[in-house]
Amino acid sequence: MTLYASTGHLLLTPVDREAPARTPRLRELDLGERADPELDAFAQHVAETLQTPYAGVNFMGEERQFFAGLHHGPDAPRRGYPARSLPRDHGYCPHVVVRRRALALEDVRDYARFAGNAVVDGSGVRSYLGAPLTDRRGFVLGTVCAVDLVPRRWGLDGLATVKGLAAELIELVHTREDGRGAPRPIDPQGC
């Protein structure tokens, strides 16, 4: 991870060297380009499980991140967040993808690297919990994540829960992939 650009400015987002290989994989899986009602429902499941106002299923491209699954709770304030698409340098999911590990931030303002992030300033996000979505080929496709507008103590239970949700979702991705590759049954009637 590069912390300083050649200009001496602090970089908040790590360099993602796997993005060029990940992008074709996302296209192959038909992920990361459009909203998906099934993934929206999964994001709602994440929010309900972790009791947060916002949750997402986020896929990381080369230039942007796309929330193919997104949940905005009915009582959550509407400040323009969450958006379906964000630049790669916004938020915390890019860090999860590059690190290839779950990330729990109890209060994002406690971390210099994250405190000045546009998501904090623009939407009031205060806590974040995310886990990588690693497919069977070893690609980290994106994240399952949950955010809150207040500091949260996620603890080991929160980390275990979000990792379990990521495993549940990657099974759904694999099931979809296997279903697309399976030959269609032959209709004995010839119809």
Side-chain angles (χ1 to χ4, degrees), residues 50-145:
L50 292 166
Q51 299 178 335
T52 60
Y54 306 111
V57 175
N58 188 9
F59 297 106
M60 198 67 52
E62 289 184 76
E63 301 298 323
R64 70 179 182 130
Q65 47 189 312
F66 186 81
F67 289 86
L70 192 58
H71 176 72
H72 183 278
D75 299 327
R78 297 196 181 267
R79 298 181 178 169
Y81 179 84
R84 284 279 178 189
S85 179
L86 291 173
R88 270 205 21 81
D89 63 347
H90 284 52
Y92 317 99
C93 293
H95 295 271
V96 172
V97 169
V98 171
R99 292 166 25 122
R100 304 177 68 87
R101 295 187 333 208
L103 177 63
L105 301 172
E106 294 179 356
D107 187 339
V108 297
R109 294 179 183 176
D110 289 344
Y111 302 88
R113 176 178 297 161
F114 302 114
N117 196 292
V119 173
V120 175
D121 297 337
S123 65
V125 168
R126 289 293 299 275
S127 59
Y128 171 89
L129 181 64
L133 294 169
T134 307
D135 79 349
R136 59 175 64 131
R137 293 186 191 173
F139 288 103
V140 177
L141 305 173
T143 66
V144 168
C145 63

Side-chain angles (χ1 to χ4, degrees), residues 1-15 112-113:
M1 172 174 26
T2 303
L3 290 179
Y4 291 92
S6 58
T7 60
H9 291 88
L10 181 66
L11 293 178
L12 299 176
T13 306
V15 175
R113 176 178 297 161

